[in-house]
Amino acid sequence: MLDRLTLAAAWIREAPSVAALTGAGISAESGVPTFRGKDGLWRTHRAEELATPGAFARDPLLVWEWYRYRQRIIAGARPNAGHEALAGLERGARDFTLITQNVDGLHARAGSSRIVELHGNIFRARCPVDGSLRDLAGDEPETIPLCPRGHAMRPDVVWFGEALPEGAIALAESASRRAAVFLVVGTSAVVYPAASFATIAKQSGARLVEVNVEETPLTGAADLALRGKAAEILPLLVPGAARSAVGE
Ligand code: OAD
């Protein structure tokens, strides 16, 4: 393991361009439940049942209650050493892009700034009628936030069956093509198109390094698969990057 960590660290250090794709696993040690893990159920519901336009049309209150529950967990969570290592990587690298499927905002709170949020942000609501946005961080308003004209706002996140924001796809794609090293961290790699960025990077010549506690469908394509917790492994890949989280 030590040899493989040293090798991955050297690849990262020497790469002219690095990109990372993160998923819920990187926030697990901050206490944010993953989607498909054993703690992925809320009441009796699975994420795949609630994070859909159909679920919201049927029962907006139920969906918002789930998002309010998750917002409370995330507001009380802190970025961990994995988030901090990636923020450190951005500070030290020539070209680094952080592509995340997470909607928890913990990367930004750890100090990362070049972040492509593929699936939106849980602390933002969007009006489906006029597209206006509302920042929900810090306040605990009514369970269902309302548009200026009284419609129900929706969480500004991407649901199953919905398209990803075009700007985010374009940024993620070009970063994946440029990358000499592509890190895949804490994602089950079953949700598309997010997982496809790892494949794009690999096909464009990147070395693929996976950090996960388990095997995933991407493990076979990985040049190095590092088994373990993101908060333990990432600081070893980016030595010297750790520092206390900004503003926490
Ligand atoms: P998942 O819950 O599907 O997968 C979490 C991954 O993290 C699994 O592969 C775990 O093995 C791994 N993991 C757990 N703890 C870890 C740790 N401490 N260190 C490293 N890895 C760990 O979450 P995502 O892959 O992020 O989409 O799910 C992708 C998308 O599906 C989410 O963005 C969300 C969801 O439905 C939308 O909401 C659109």
Side-chain angles (χ1 to χ4, degrees):
M1 181 72 161
L2 201 57
D3 284 356
R4 288 184 300 137
L5 283 170
T6 311
L7 183 59
W11 286 351
I12 291 170
R13 205 171 47 241
E14 286 155 21
S17 177
V18 178
L21 171 69
T22 64
I26 195 170
S27 296
E29 276 138 293
S30 294
V32 181
T34 57
F35 291 95
R36 293 172 182 78
K38 56 180 173 4
D39 51 1
L41 279 185
W42 174 71
R43 298 184 190 165
T44 54
H45 305 280
R46 295 181 324 149
E48 292 93 327
E49 293 165 18
L50 294 172
T52 70
F56 188 68
R58 270 191 306 278
D59 196 343
L61 184 60
L62 178 74
V63 172
W64 266 112
E65 280 173 350
W66 180 51
Y67 277 92
R68 292 306 198 187
Y69 160 79
R70 290 170 58 206
Q71 283 170 2
R72 281 194 296 275
I73 292 179
I74 294 163
R78 294 168 64 93
N80 64 51
H83 299 105
E84 286 172 21
L86 292 181
L89 185 50
E90 177 180 311
R91 285 193 295 275
R94 279 165 274 183
D95 176 29
F96 176 69
T97 305
L98 179 49
I99 306 164
T100 189
Q101 299 166 86
N102 298 347
V103 296
D104 58 27
L106 288 176
H107 284 303
R109 284 170 59 194
S112 288
S113 56
R114 251 185 100 83
I115 308 171
V116 180
E117 287 184 325
L118 292 177
H119 294 163
N121 192 298
I122 198 168
F123 292 107
R124 237 180 8 238
R126 184 172 83 234
C127 176
V129 180
D130 63 15
S132 61
L133 299 172
R134 181 157 141 198
D135 183 5
L136 301 175
D139 66 352
E140 181 70 31
E142 65 283 4
T143 302
I144 303 185
L146 297 178
C147 304
R149 297 213 178 147
H151 264 86
M153 292 186 110
R154 57 165 284 175
D156 191 24
V157 300
V158 175
W159 284 332
F160 287 101
E162 292 185 321
L164 273 58
E166 275 175 31
I169 293 189
L171 284 171
E173 229 176 77
S174 65
S176 305
R177 287 191 204 288
R178 281 199 312 278
V181 174
F182 193 93
L183 299 167
V184 193
V185 183
T187 175
S188 57
V190 294
V191 171
Y192 279 79
S196 67
F197 297 118
T199 314
I200 290 173
K202 175 86 186 171
Q203 285 167 352
S204 310
R207 284 177 159 139
L208 202 60
V209 177
E210 179 177 68
V211 179
N212 199 306
V213 292
E214 295 173 1
E215 283 207 359
T216 77
L218 284 177
T219 304
D223 294 279
L224 276 178
L226 304 170
R227 283 288 147 265
K229 294 180 175 173
E232 289 168 10
I233 292 189
L234 288 177
L236 301 173
L237 295 185
V238 195
R243 64 163 202 193
S244 57
V246 179
E248 290 297 312

